[in-house]
Amino acid sequence: EEVWTRVAAIEASPTCPWGSAQPMVWVFGYGSIIWKPDFPFSRSLSCYAKGYKRVWWQGSTDHRGVPGAPGRTVTLEERPGSIVWGRAFEIEAEDWEGGVREDLAVREKQYDTLRKLDLHARGSSGSEEIVAVRGALTWIATPRSENYLGPLPMEELASQIATSRGPSGPNSEYLLMLAEALRKHGLEDGELDVLERKVREHLRRNKD
């Protein structure tokens, strides 16, 4: 009921991100949506949002942790000069209205901000920047979110991710699947690479 109320409130707003009578909707995934979209889409592409950085500052008590022992998932922090690579998914209007919108509202219910972003990609020359998608929807957790945790030193972050578990499985699985998906699509995130190595070290030590 709470999710439906939030969706209805957004749609009633004159600045509703998805507008009305759209032939399709684009969704930008920078976390688990990259490797587990779980919704029908007509096509997808690799692209990046400018002015944002992927950070592990959102707590998860419904998927990768539990109340009192949250896991960590990614959100976006506004960071001038930064870019964040992800995947954009084109969803037909019929599918969007037929259930994808509500499913995503439930899935992203711990993220408090729904935002429209223009997404960029490299042109055929490899150096030219083009606007690949305009107004893609993405969910962001800000300090206003109930489960927002904020930054943590890398070692402590790795330890928390390596030991947390929730209804959707180990927190480490979320990180490892994200890292693997970025590599599969040729996308870069140097900090994620470092964090992945540290989490794997913690997992090996915990296993021993």
Side-chain angles (χ1 to χ4, degrees):
E1 182 178 351
E2 178 183 353
V3 171
W4 278 98
T5 300
R6 289 174 57 192
V7 170
I10 292 171
E11 289 184 327
S13 168
T15 58
C16 174
W18 50 76
S20 59
Q22 297 293 322
M24 77 283 293
V25 175
W26 283 92
V27 167
F28 179 57
Y30 58 89
S32 63
I33 285 178
I34 296 178
W35 54 270
K36 191 178 181 182
D38 273 354
F39 52 76
F41 57 91
S42 53
R43 58 177 171 145
S44 63
L45 55 92
S46 296
C47 48
Y48 57 89
K50 300 170 70 172
Y52 290 90
K53 178 180 174 61
R54 183 173 18 241
V55 293
W56 294 81
W57 295 359
Q58 173 67 353
S60 174
T61 58
D62 60 341
H63 288 294
R64 299 295 175 171
V66 295
R72 290 263 179 167
T73 55
V74 292
T75 183
L76 297 182
E77 183 201 28
E78 293 190 48
R79 188 79 62 88
S82 293
I83 65 172
V84 57
W85 282 96
R87 297 280 293 177
F89 298 85
E90 183 186 55
I91 304 168
E92 298 295 333
E94 181 179 0
D95 292 325
W96 179 255
E97 297 295 341
V100 173
R101 178 184 59 186
E102 289 79 11
D103 290 345
L104 281 172
V106 172
R107 176 173 176 168
E108 307 295 333
K109 64 181 181 294
Q110 294 193 344
Y111 286 65
D112 62 290
T113 300
L114 180 60
R115 192 165 295 175
K116 290 175 68 175
L117 301 178
D118 290 339
L119 305 175
H120 304 263
R122 304 298 185 195
S124 57
S125 67
S127 58
E128 175 191 10
E129 181 181 76
I130 62 172
V131 178
V133 177
R134 291 196 180 276
L137 300 177
T138 198
W139 283 258
I140 299 173
T142 73
R144 295 187 301 272
S145 171
E146 180 181 355
N147 287 311
Y148 187 84
L149 297 176
L152 197 65
M154 183 71 77
E155 285 294 342
E156 295 178 36
L157 177 60
S159 176
Q160 183 176 357
I161 292 173
T163 57
S164 296
R165 175 183 288 270
S168 295
N171 199 178
S172 58
E173 178 187 56
Y174 174 100
L175 179 144
L176 298 175
M177 294 293 285
L178 175 56
E180 179 59 30
L182 291 181
R183 281 192 291 270
K184 173 184 175 182
H185 294 293
L187 308 180
E188 298 180 358
D189 187 328
E191 288 192 9
L192 176 58
D193 293 340
V194 174
L195 182 58
E196 180 191 12
R197 288 197 297 271
K198 290 186 177 295
V199 168
R200 288 187 182 277
E201 290 171 3
H202 278 276
L203 291 174
R204 283 194 293 268
R205 288 199 297 268
N206 293 342
K207 186 177 181 180
D208 296 339

